[in-house]
Amino acid sequence: RRDVLVLTPWLAPIVWEGTFSRDILDAQYVQKNLVTGVVTFAVEKYWFFIEGFMRSANKYFLAGHQVNFYLFTDSPEKVSHLQMAPENHLFVIPVQNHSGWQDISTSRMDIISTYIHSQFQYEVDYLYSIDIDVQLLAHVGVEIIDALVATISSWQFTPHGEDKAYKTHPESQAAIPEGEWDFSYTASFYGGSVSEVYKLTRACFEGVMEDRGSGVGAQWRDESHLNEYLQHHKPTRLLSPEYYWDAEL
């Protein structure tokens, strides 16, 4: 494709529809006998999205390959029996009920890194975090697999996208000096190898806690910290906004 940017300045591929052969990538992935994990959170009113997310992800996310879905929720009793594909497994993990979505959005990095250390590193090779209110509408395949994967925010393609992603308190650990950013990334879909996701989530949570101790905060919470981390630890693969398009747009 010549109508879009397909390579970053540091030579990482940007994946758009029409820039890869899924059949070739599937064949390579199968030979490696890999397992991929998906982490998602359904806290408070967000339990409403569980069935829609799981049905679409079970159908479209790495279809035909083994996937472990890790659903963190404060309402495990509301998870209905879902018929999973034979190669997929759903694990429901109870999580504490926080006082609001802001709290879970700032603590989920800690939860992910803690479970990587204690459990996930022994069960999966790659791990992706996807928001529970996402609906997958088409196949998301092994073209997303790489060491450190970020998704370009759809807001970057709006006139004020830079303002949404980067304006935060200058003393916040997530602050990025003006003019030094490459891309705006969404925290709604990111991932990579277990070891890289561990380093990312641990660093983001530590940044959140430093902000809290200093009495400052990033405007977009964990998303701001994710962007700051990826500014200094370049993703090895970027996914185009096709992979997570904000319905508000």
Side-chain angles (χ1 to χ4, degrees):
R1 288 180 58 170
R2 299 180 181 272
D3 59 322
V4 292
L5 184 67
V6 297
L7 204 62
T8 70
W10 59 94
L11 305 183
I14 305 175
V15 182
W16 297 82
E17 188 65 33
T19 62
F20 58 88
S21 168
R22 185 164 285 140
D23 290 342
I24 293 175
L25 295 175
D26 275 340
Q28 295 173 342
Y29 184 86
V30 168
Q31 290 176 0
K32 297 176 182 178
N33 195 30
L34 300 170
V35 181
T36 298
V38 173
V39 173
T40 191
F41 290 81
V43 175
E44 293 189 342
K45 64 181 180 180
Y46 284 86
W47 66 266
F48 176 79
F49 295 101
I50 292 174
E51 185 168 353
F53 172 82
M54 287 307 310
R55 288 191 184 281
S56 66
N58 180 58
K59 180 178 180 180
Y60 289 124
F61 189 86
L62 268 61
H65 303 291
Q66 186 174 341
V67 181
N68 288 356
F69 291 96
Y70 301 104
L71 169 62
F72 289 88
T73 180
D74 59 350
S75 304
E77 73 282 356
K78 293 181 178 177
V79 180
S80 61
H81 176 69
L82 298 170
Q83 187 67 40
M84 304 295 290
E87 63 274 10
N88 293 341
H89 298 88
L90 172 61
F91 301 92
V92 179
I93 305 173
V95 67
Q96 181 181 354
N97 185 357
H98 291 260
S99 59
W101 72 267
Q102 293 92 342
D103 292 323
I104 194 65
S105 75
T106 55
S107 63
R108 63 181 175 179
M109 293 288 192
D110 180 41
I111 294 171
I112 292 172
S113 63
T114 298
Y115 272 83
I116 287 175
H117 181 73
S118 65
Q119 178 180 345
F120 298 161
Q121 65 170 319
Y122 306 110
E123 298 176 351
V124 299
D125 302 286
Y126 292 88
L127 188 67
Y128 289 80
S129 174
I130 307 178
D131 281 358
I132 192 69
D133 57 355
V134 168
Q135 280 274 356
L136 279 71
L137 304 177
H139 287 286
V140 175
V142 298
E143 73 278 358
I144 70 169
I145 300 295
D146 215 321
L148 184 58
V149 181
T151 303
I152 301 174
S153 171
S154 49
W155 285 90
Q156 185 165 322
F157 291 81
T158 66
H160 304 291
E162 182 180 350
D163 294 342
K164 180 184 186 299
Y166 292 103
K167 284 200 171 178
T168 192
H169 196 289
E171 295 183 8
S172 167
Q173 296 298 310
I176 299 175
E178 187 174 351
E180 292 190 9
W181 62 281
D182 300 300
F183 295 92
S184 170
Y185 303 110
T186 176
S188 297
F189 187 3
Y190 66 90
S193 68
V194 172
S195 60
E196 289 296 332
V197 175
Y198 177 79
K199 288 187 283 188
L200 180 152
T201 52
R202 201 70 228 155
C204 289
F205 178 68
E206 289 172 356
V208 168
M209 296 309 293
E210 285 190 46
D211 277 2
R212 189 170 294 178
S214 303
V216 299
Q219 183 176 2
W220 301 103
R221 299 179 178 82
D222 59 339
E223 186 166 286
S224 296
H225 287 275
L226 177 138
N227 273 273
E228 193 278 335
Y229 180 88
L230 293 174
Q231 182 63 27
H232 297 96
H233 306 80
K234 301 297 189 188
T236 57
R237 181 172 303 240
L238 276 63
L239 305 181
S240 75
E242 297 168 321
Y243 284 85
Y244 179 80
W245 189 259
D246 195 321
E248 288 185 36
L249 301 176

